[in-house]
């Protein structure tokens, strides 16, 4: 969490909001950049993943499982509302992260987002950070929150649970320490019983 906060401090909008959308929904950058305001169901707090964009070409989402509606937490809904009020491109069919350099006709490019993320990562002392890091972080945080793997699979929109389990998400370092301490306490309590 401290690394992520440091990373966020190094970003200005829209890149800060892009990173938050990616990490809070586990979106691929191609899905995040392809969001339009019409994909946000404000009344029912739902986000529809309808398309992807790669090299500024709009296409289908990566897999059939990727196209899904996701629940939007109230705080995230407020963050999206704030961004909608801030951006000059807020019409229903506008890109959520429309690029002013493209006069709103296209979203910010992957290359620009990646450069901003990498620089913010370096400034925060994080090496090897990329856009897909947000998706891996999402999986790690779901795990740290005690979310069952079956629910994680659905939230990550994976067709195969093995992808969720074997490819995504390292254990959060503090969680490893806590688990280790629990085992040590159990072992030492047993030792005390035997020694007494």
């Amino acid at each position: 969490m401290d690394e992520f906060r440091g990373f966020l401090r190094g970003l200005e909008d829209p890149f800060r909001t892009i990173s938050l959308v990616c990490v809070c929904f586990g979106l691929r950058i191609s899905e995040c950049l392809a969001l339009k305001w019409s994909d946000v169901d404000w009344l029912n707090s739902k986000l529809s993943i309808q398309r992807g964009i790669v090299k500024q070409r709009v296409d289908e989402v990566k897999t059939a499982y990727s196209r899904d509606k996701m629940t939007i937490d109230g705080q995230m809904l407020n963050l999206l509302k704030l961004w909608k009020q801030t951006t000059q491109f807020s019409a229903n069919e506008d890109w959520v992260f429309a690029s002013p350099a493209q006069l709103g006709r296209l979203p910010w490019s992957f290359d620009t987002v990646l450069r901003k993320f990498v620089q913010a990562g370096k400034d925060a002392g994080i090496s090897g950070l990329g856009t897909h890091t947000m998706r891996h972080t999402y999986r790690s945080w779901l795990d740290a929150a005690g979310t069952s793997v079956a629910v994680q699979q659905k939230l990550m929109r994976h067709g195969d649970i093995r992808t969720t389990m074997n490819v995504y998400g390292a254990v959060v370092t503090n969680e490893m320490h806590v688990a280790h301490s629990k085992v040590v306490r159990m072992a030492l309590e047993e030792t005390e019983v035997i020694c007494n």
Side-chain angles (χ1 to χ4, degrees):
M1 289 303 300
D2 290 338
E3 284 183 337
F4 184 72
R5 286 187 194 105
F7 165 69
L8 274 185
R9 279 192 289 275
L11 293 172
E12 294 180 358
D13 269 328
F15 308 104
R16 181 177 184 278
T17 302
I18 289 170
S19 70
L20 287 166
V21 168
C22 286
V23 81
C24 289
F25 291 106
L27 296 184
R28 298 169 183 93
I29 193 65
S30 60
E31 297 165 339
C32 179
L33 294 177
L35 290 172
K36 292 189 173 192
W37 288 116
S38 59
D39 298 329
V40 181
D41 180 346
W42 301 99
L43 294 177
N44 296 306
S45 300
K46 297 284 184 191
L47 180 67
S48 295
I49 310 303
Q50 300 291 318
R51 67 199 73 75
I53 188 164
V54 177
K55 297 181 181 177
Q56 297 300 65
R57 297 180 75 99
V58 179
D59 204 353
E60 293 293 317
V61 290
K62 186 174 178 181
T63 69
Y65 297 97
S66 299
R67 184 183 297 275
D68 212 350
K69 286 191 177 191
M70 306 178 80
T71 300
I72 307 174
D73 176 81
Q75 286 182 297
M76 179 54 65
L77 199 63
N78 288 338
L79 183 81
L80 288 171
K81 284 178 186 174
L82 181 62
W83 175 242
K84 188 170 171 51
Q85 293 167 356
T86 305
T87 182
Q88 60 184 346
F89 306 104
S90 59
N92 211 30
E93 285 306 312
D94 283 340
W95 303 105
V96 172
F97 299 110
S99 169
Q102 296 290 330
L103 304 175
R105 290 185 296 251
L106 287 170
W108 284 91
S109 71
F110 166 79
D111 294 337
T112 301
V113 175
L114 179 61
R115 274 195 309 277
K116 298 289 186 177
F117 278 25
V118 168
Q119 187 59 55
K122 282 182 184 176
D123 293 346
I126 307 166
S127 61
L129 190 140
T131 58
H132 210 64
T133 304
M134 301 303 114
R135 189 160 163 81
H136 284 274
T137 300
Y138 178 65
R139 162 61 161 90
S140 295
W141 288 354
L142 287 173
D143 209 39
T147 309
S148 74
V149 177
V151 172
Q152 290 182 39
Q153 175 195 4
K154 299 295 184 202
L155 288 171
M156 297 280 303
R157 296 164 296 118
H158 287 147
D160 190 331
I161 200 163
R162 290 176 295 187
T163 304
T164 309
M165 293 170 49
N166 298 331
V167 177
Y168 282 87
V171 176
V172 176
T173 305
N174 187 45
E175 293 299 311
M176 292 171 58
H177 176 76
V178 169
H180 170 71
S181 294
K182 287 179 181 178
V183 170
V184 169
R185 279 195 300 279
M186 288 185 327
L188 292 180
E189 285 175 12
E190 274 304 309
T191 305
E192 287 177 21
V193 170
I194 294 170
C195 291
N196 291 332

